[in-house]
Amino acid sequence: MPNITPPDLAGREPHDREERALVQALQHGDESAFATVVERYHASMLRLATARVGDPQLAEEIVQDAWLALVRGIGQFEERASLKTWLFRVVMYRARARSDRERRSVPFSRFEDEPDDGARFLPEDHPRWPGHWAEAVPEVETAPEAMLLRQETMDWLKHLIEMLPPRYRMVLILRDVEGLCAADVCDILSLTDGVERVLLHRARAKIRQGMVDYLQEGDVGHR
Amino acid sequence: MNEPMACRAFVDLVTEYLDDVMPQAERARFEQHLQECPHCRRYLAQIRMTISLSGRLHPGVLQSGTREELLACFREWHTAGTA
């Protein structure tokens, strides 16, 4: 088994009672508790595994391995990390082990080229506006409620995330889609704070550019 | 008097700002620039929008076959583990 002892998270909010009850039920072999956590986390685990290894079939196997690890390891589970963080960490560990063995995944250690995020600035020696935007930042609708109504917009966002290089995609999925904190993401992906932030920064910048381009085209279409 | 911040530096610091890990003096310069520059205000609003929309993407529906298969595995694993 991997070393998956949760880090010391003292000082953080205690995990809610509902999760504690769930963990205790799992420890007693309660099948309905297992069904609950499967319903809650399976699809997210699969999304993370797919982002990591590329191959959906292999991703399924990895997630199944992670569930087995939960069943076997739940007795030792210490509630210092949330169940979700713990499961994601196991998924990443299993994915690493499988892809090292099978060499079927995208190389993970390679630092992808910086994705082009469309931001252009005037040179630092510009006489009047050094380091200023070279082109105006376009004005687009930014109220999420307006966009949520359109499935097409959400599909486009999903597509943009899928097009990110793997490391950017995983950080963005864990931080912005799953809503985990930076410390948990560093832990799950074995990244330093600084690298995590750079990856997140570039991923968000790239997604912003794709969304703005899309929303501007949409505006033209409505005219 | 603090040196004013350029747009390029503002954009580079957006993630640190949102993670709230900026030194106080830099944060003050960042917020000063935010007040003065409509382009960077738009940029920040657009970044916030992508974060907000990303948080509302559903991971997809679990296929009932997968669920049943996992529950069957659970019974098996559990029996094997306690035997």
Side-chain angles (χ1 to χ4, degrees):
Chain A
M1 275 302 284
N3 176 17
I4 41 179
T5 311
D8 186 9
L9 302 176
R12 250 196 244 170
E13 293 276 303
H15 295 293
D16 59 58
R17 246 178 249 170
E18 195 259 346
E19 182 167 304
R20 195 164 306 153
L22 205 51
V23 169
Q24 279 170 2
L26 283 169
Q27 287 171 337
H28 289 105
D30 182 336
E31 191 178 313
S32 70
F34 186 71
T36 303
V37 292
V38 165
E39 288 286 353
R40 200 174 287 176
Y41 302 125
H42 186 83
S44 291
M45 289 159 73
L46 195 57
R47 176 161 62 188
L48 178 64
T50 309
R52 172 66 176 81
V53 298
D55 175 357
Q57 179 58 41
L58 181 56
E60 284 275 4
E61 289 169 26
I62 285 163
V63 173
Q64 180 143 345
D65 284 355
W67 286 121
L68 176 57
L70 175 78
V71 173
R72 286 187 177 152
I74 193 67
Q76 288 83 49
F77 182 77
E78 293 174 55
E79 294 161 56
R80 281 181 293 174
S82 71
L83 200 52
K84 181 172 168 177
T85 302
W86 189 90
L87 285 167
F88 284 174
R89 202 183 307 143
V90 177
V91 165
M92 288 307 296
Y93 176 83
R94 300 302 311 168
R96 208 171 303 136
R98 291 294 288 264
S99 59
D100 285 352
R101 200 162 63 224
E102 302 183 24
R103 304 223 164 275
R104 277 155 72 189
S105 85
V106 196
F108 188 54
S109 53
R110 184 168 55 89
F111 203 96
E112 295 89 354
D113 292 338
E114 185 170 343
D116 180 13
D117 59 22
R120 303 279 180 272
F121 301 95
L122 297 173
E124 295 304 328
D125 58 359
H126 190 276
R128 186 130 186 246
W129 302 106
H132 198 277
W133 290 98
E135 284 173 33
V137 177
E139 214 162 337
V140 294
E141 173 63 70
T142 53
E145 291 68 29
M147 273 164 259
L148 282 167
L149 299 173
R150 296 181 59 204
Q151 184 56 42
E152 192 195 302
T153 312
M154 299 306 277
D155 289 345
W156 179 248
L157 173 62
K158 217 184 241 181
H159 167 76
L160 290 173
I161 294 174
E162 278 162 16
M163 297 309 286
L164 287 172
R167 296 222 303 173
Y168 295 83
R169 185 165 67 232
M170 274 183 277
V171 171
L172 189 108
I173 286 175
L174 292 175
R175 284 295 302 275
D176 293 347
V177 180
E178 298 292 345
L180 298 180
C181 67
D184 282 351
V185 176
C186 288
D187 178 25
I188 292 165
L189 299 179
S190 307
L191 297 173
T192 62
D193 292 359
V195 171
E196 189 264 355
R197 196 169 302 120
V198 167
L199 292 171
L200 178 65
H201 183 85
R202 292 179 183 168
R204 282 177 178 168
K206 182 82 181 153
I207 300 293
R208 181 208 72 95
Q209 183 61 39
M211 288 304 286
V212 167
D213 289 348
Y214 168 83
L215 292 168
Q216 277 186 294
E217 279 174 36
D219 284 349
V220 172
H222 287 302
R223 261 173 224 151
Chain B
M1 192 49 199
N2 280 330
E3 177 102 347
M5 185 175 277
C7 303
R8 185 198 291 273
F10 179 95
V11 166
D12 282 346
L13 290 168
V14 155
T15 308
E16 280 178 47
Y17 177 73
L18 293 173
D19 271 353
D20 199 12
V21 291
M22 253 180 184
Q24 190 51 46
E26 201 166 42
R27 192 176 182 87
R29 288 174 64 216
F30 186 94
E31 285 172 344
Q32 181 69 33
H33 183 88
L34 187 61
Q35 279 189 1
E36 291 162 0
C37 179
H39 299 283
C40 287
R41 261 204 304 283
R42 255 176 250 153
Y43 184 87
L44 181 62
Q46 290 163 3
I47 290 283
R48 286 192 200 274
M49 166 195 75
T50 68
I51 296 168
S52 169
L53 287 179
S54 297
R56 303 192 206 192
L57 278 176
H58 299 295
V61 182
L62 182 61
Q63 311 252 323
S64 66
T66 309
R67 185 177 179 278
E68 292 317 311
E69 208 175 293
L70 281 168
L71 288 179
C73 289
F74 178 78
R75 270 169 237 138
E76 200 178 300
W77 294 332
H78 200 72
T79 320
T82 51

